[in-house]
Amino acid sequence: KNELESIAKKSPRAIIIDLRNNPGGFLNEVVTIVDYFIDKGLPIVHLQDRYNSETITSTLAPLVKNIPIAVLINKGSASASEILAAALRYHGVGKIVGTNTFGKGSVQELVEITPKTALKITVARWLGPDDMQIPRDGIVPDVKVEISEKDAEAGKDPQLDKAVEMLKGM
């Protein structure tokens, strides 16, 4: 929050959020992050288990508003990363650049079996703010850009380059 407030005070022309190879994290943390970018009362994510459905909505006024945002994703972007990308795109806050995400879309819990072992079980699924489940082949970016092995070896990042080019035109 402090870093984003600091950035916002500098009146940036654009922001790039890099979620590539981010396997996710805790639901409450991603909800807080999305809260910083969208208006109060808007849906962030829907949780659906066998018996219930719950919509989590934003509770804050955005810290960043009317600043173009690009969100970088790839196959390593999963879970909470997908929630963030889906919410920013759905609410018209960000454009997604890169390749399809992992396609997780599930909520899991660890059940301790012994002090040294546990079982991870899926207890619910999450749906984007549009009430759609993340497809198994992941979130499709608005602008698809691959990174070849040759690019990576040469230290080139065509996804980042495309995001910068796109944001300059906004």
Side-chain angles (χ1 to χ4, degrees):
K1 178 181 177 189
N2 292 339
E3 191 63 33
L4 191 55
E5 286 174 332
S6 174
I7 290 168
K9 286 178 186 174
K10 296 175 184 174
S11 301
R13 288 180 283 176
I15 295 174
I16 296 173
I17 301 172
D18 191 346
L19 299 176
R20 295 175 295 180
N21 300 314
N22 182 320
F26 294 107
L27 180 64
N28 60 333
E29 296 300 328
V30 74
V31 166
T32 299
I33 293 168
V34 175
D35 240 345
Y36 297 147
F37 293 95
I38 67 171
D39 290 325
K40 184 177 181 177
L42 295 177
I44 295 173
V45 66
H46 303 283
L47 297 177
Q48 186 177 62
D49 66 19
R50 179 180 234 175
Y51 306 105
N52 299 301
S53 182
E54 174 189 5
T55 300
I56 299 174
T57 59
S58 59
T59 60
L60 304 172
L63 295 176
V64 174
K65 199 164 181 153
N66 300 322
I67 298 171
I69 297 173
V71 180
L72 300 177
I73 60 169
N74 66 8
K75 192 68 172 169
S77 308
S79 193
S81 296
E82 292 171 304
I83 292 172
L84 177 58
L88 295 185
R89 173 166 56 192
Y90 179 77
H91 294 296
V93 174
K95 295 284 185 190
I96 302 175
V97 178
T99 57
N100 288 24
T101 62
F102 182 79
K104 187 167 182 268
S106 61
V107 180
Q108 295 166 328
E109 289 182 2
L110 285 176
V111 177
E112 186 178 310
I113 305 296
T114 71
K116 293 184 178 183
T117 62
L119 176 66
K120 185 186 282 189
I121 59 171
T122 300
V123 296
R125 64 183 180 159
W126 63 264
L127 310 173
D130 57 359
D131 235 1
M132 299 297 289
Q133 187 170 7
I134 297 303
R136 290 188 192 273
D137 56 351
I139 294 174
V140 177
D142 298 308
V143 180
K144 190 164 189 141
V145 180
E146 301 278 347
I147 294 181
S148 70
E149 200 171 302
K150 186 177 178 182
D151 288 334
E153 288 171 1
K156 295 182 180 179
D157 190 341
Q159 293 172 337
L160 178 61
D161 294 343
K162 184 64 176 180
V164 169
E165 174 191 323
M166 183 181 74
L167 291 170
K168 283 182 178 179
M170 298 177 101

